[in-house]
Amino acid sequence: MFFIDAIDLEGLGNRSYLAGGRRTAVAVDPPRDFDQVLAAAARRGVRISHVVETHVHNDYVTGGPELARVTGAAYLVPAGVNVSFTRIPVADGDTVTIDGGLRLRAVATPGHTPHHTSYVLQEQGAPVAAFTGGSLLIGTVGRPDLVEPRLTEQLARAQHASAHRLAAELPDETPVLPTHGFGSFCSSAQADGNATTIGEEKSANAALTTGADSFVAQLLAELDDVPAYYTYMGPANAAGPAPVDLTPPAAADADEISARLAAGEWVVDLRDRVAFAEGHVAGSFNFEADGKIATYLAWMIPWGRPVTLLAASLEQLAAAQRELVRVGIDRPAAAATGSPREWLPEGDRPASFPRSTFAGLAAHGTDGIVVLDVRRDSERAAGRINGSVHIPVHELHKRLGEVPAGTVWVHCAGGMRAAIAASLLDAIGRDVVAVDDGFDAAETAGLNVVSG
């Protein structure tokens, strides 16, 4: 008998896995904060004997080297990858015993990266699951453009071939267990569902239902923006990440918060967007702890810039720290919990701005105001408010001077990114209204939504 436990990293849209038998187990693509992997092993009563990577990750910092060190596990990394730490290089066809009749077989599946490797879990020689990392995902594949622009088309073709290899070698009933595809920008598209098999992918995945030329052309045409922080993830993982430190940051009082703002540092308010709009420290930015804080804060903050976190509670602060270490933002410069009245010098009043909906925008009318769309290019192409200005949220902090004069009504697809954008605009003194609504409501509200 064997088990497979999935460990979801919802903020980053990834999954790690722990798989094993009665005594020992393997951890696949573990997160940097691997305590939850250890907890899963403790619940199962097993020892982690192996830690494996499907590839050198571009979207998060791995916990693999440190997890292997702490547990004494063998650390397996695809052969050919240039790394600066001790590991066991894995080549196509290599196998390792995990527990009794449970073995792991390496399958070279280049495409997401040149040396990408999937791992087939076998029980008594029969395939029972495939850990496909960034190769074959649920309904899609991992994007091929994160390593080197000159390799993108070549890797896209390799993705097609790798998907076909997995489909040819594995029984239809084999579960496909990818790392990416649950919201990660490492996926070429959002996964449709939470589980799949080889057989299901044969009928639904474009990599397996279309020819190579058509697949590559479509894949390359649909590639979305790449988060800026990805530039730093590959080198960090190749060098061997340092252990995490999740101890509380130094506490900041109102005077220190003011001084850090005056010094040009980023002060990030983690509270929900409703609370932030109602009252906040002027100059602070709103990245909701319950949103994709790791993705968007790491995407937008100048790399290495000190960040101070403001949280409603110690629990919210701790959760945000955990999210941020996964993308290499290791230690906040300082932090404070509570509410704006504790974060502001005595006598100062919180800043605020109004929120509305698309119905509110339609009732107000678009004449004489700026409607700012902060969605990505691919989202806007499917429909936009006629006459709106477009600056994707991840570019806005560098392009604030391009926002036309006047009151700015800012929207995205659901409200979270609009709140980030509204906080950036508010911080420089612009009059702003955050549209906290789903974009599907824009046309229903009577606004002139056009395509293209």
Side-chain angles (χ1 to χ4, degrees):
M1 295 295 294
F2 69 94
F3 71 87
I4 300 174
D5 290 338
I7 299 165
D8 287 310
L9 305 180
E10 294 183 3
L12 291 177
N14 285 325
R15 279 183 182 168
S16 296
Y17 300 92
L18 182 74
R22 288 183 294 178
R23 296 177 299 277
T24 51
V26 57
V28 182
D29 289 341
R32 194 174 184 198
D33 53 319
F34 55 76
D35 52 342
Q36 53 199 312
V37 181
L38 294 176
R43 286 193 297 270
R44 291 287 186 176
V46 296
R47 176 178 63 86
I48 297 175
S49 60
H50 294 78
V51 176
V52 303
E53 305 280 11
T54 56
H55 59 294
V56 174
H57 303 284
N58 289 290
D59 64 329
Y60 69 92
V61 182
T62 181
E66 186 66 8
L67 177 59
R69 187 190 69 80
V70 167
T71 60
Y75 186 39
L76 279 56
V77 177
V81 172
N82 185 19
V83 296
S84 302
F85 48 81
T86 302
R87 84 290 187 196
I88 299 173
V90 178
D92 184 48
D94 287 352
T95 62
V96 294
T97 298
I98 302 303
D99 189 295
L102 203 62
R103 296 177 65 80
L104 204 64
R105 177 171 65 90
V107 180
T109 48
H112 184 48
T113 66
H115 306 291
H116 188 284
T117 300
S118 299
Y119 298 90
V120 176
L121 187 67
Q122 300 173 325
E123 187 179 42
Q124 305 302 334
V128 292
F131 300 105
T132 55
S135 183
L136 187 65
L137 311 184
I138 301 177
T140 185
V141 295
R143 58 192 300 168
D145 61 328
L146 301 179
V147 177
E148 160 59 55
R150 291 170 295 183
L151 295 178
T152 296
E153 183 173 349
Q154 175 185 330
L155 289 175
R157 292 188 179 278
Q159 278 290 51
H160 186 268
S162 292
H164 278 263
R165 179 184 180 185
L166 289 170
E169 292 187 6
L170 298 174
D172 283 358
E173 64 271 18
T174 308
V176 174
L177 304 175
T179 300
H180 302 315
F182 309 96
S184 167
F185 282 86
C186 268
S187 173
S188 60
Q190 177 68 36
D192 183 16
N194 286 313
T196 191
T197 63
I198 289 291
E200 290 171 19
E201 292 308 302
K202 283 182 177 179
S203 63
N205 196 311
L208 298 172
T209 60
T210 59
D213 289 343
S214 297
F215 168 77
V216 169
Q218 180 181 349
L219 179 62
L220 298 185
E222 294 178 350
L223 291 173
D224 214 331
D225 298 324
V226 178
Y229 73 92
Y230 278 22
T231 300
Y232 306 97
M233 298 297 97
N237 286 325
V244 296
D245 179 1
L246 292 174
T247 58
D253 60 16
D255 289 339
E256 182 176 351
I257 292 169
S258 296
R260 290 188 177 279
L261 283 168
E265 297 182 10
W266 278 39
V267 174
V268 171
D269 191 325
L270 302 169
R271 296 174 302 146
D272 69 76
R273 55 187 181 261
V274 176
F276 183 88
E278 290 176 348
H280 55 270
V281 175
S284 62
F285 304 142
N286 183 213
F287 290 80
E288 291 181 307
D290 291 338
K292 283 185 165 288
I293 178 176
T295 295
Y296 282 101
L297 179 56
W299 196 337
M300 296 170 67
I301 190 170
W303 200 251
R305 182 76 57 88
V307 60
T308 294
L309 301 178
L310 307 180
S313 65
L314 290 172
E315 292 76 16
Q316 187 179 69
L317 174 62
Q321 277 188 262
R322 182 176 288 270
E323 291 280 339
L324 293 177
V325 298
R326 293 171 179 167
V327 293
I329 300 178
D330 282 12
R331 292 296 297 164
T337 57
S339 66
R341 64 177 175 270
E342 286 91 45
W343 305 335
L344 288 165
E346 188 173 350
D348 285 7
R349 295 178 59 84
S352 63
F353 54 78
R355 298 165 52 252
S356 191
T357 61
F358 284 110
L361 175 56
H364 181 281
T366 57
D367 292 341
I369 65 168
V370 180
V371 178
L372 177 62
D373 180 351
V374 297
R375 297 173 301 161
R376 298 187 300 278
D377 292 346
S378 58
E379 296 172 283
R380 184 172 170 85
R384 57 182 171 81
I385 297 173
N386 195 33
S388 60
V389 176
H390 180 227
I391 304 176
V393 70
H394 58 271
E395 299 178 5
L396 182 60
H397 60 300
K398 297 179 180 178
R399 300 175 58 188
L400 289 166
E402 299 177 28
V403 181
T407 299
V408 184
W409 287 60
V410 58
H411 80 84
C412 60
M416 183 267 290
R417 287 172 291 173
I420 296 173
S423 71
L424 296 174
L425 290 161
D426 176 76
I428 62 169
R430 295 296 300 269
D431 291 329
V432 63
V433 179
V435 178
D436 193 356
D437 203 356
F439 188 73
D440 289 346
E443 191 167 16
T444 304
L447 292 164
N448 184 14
V449 176
V450 297
S451 60

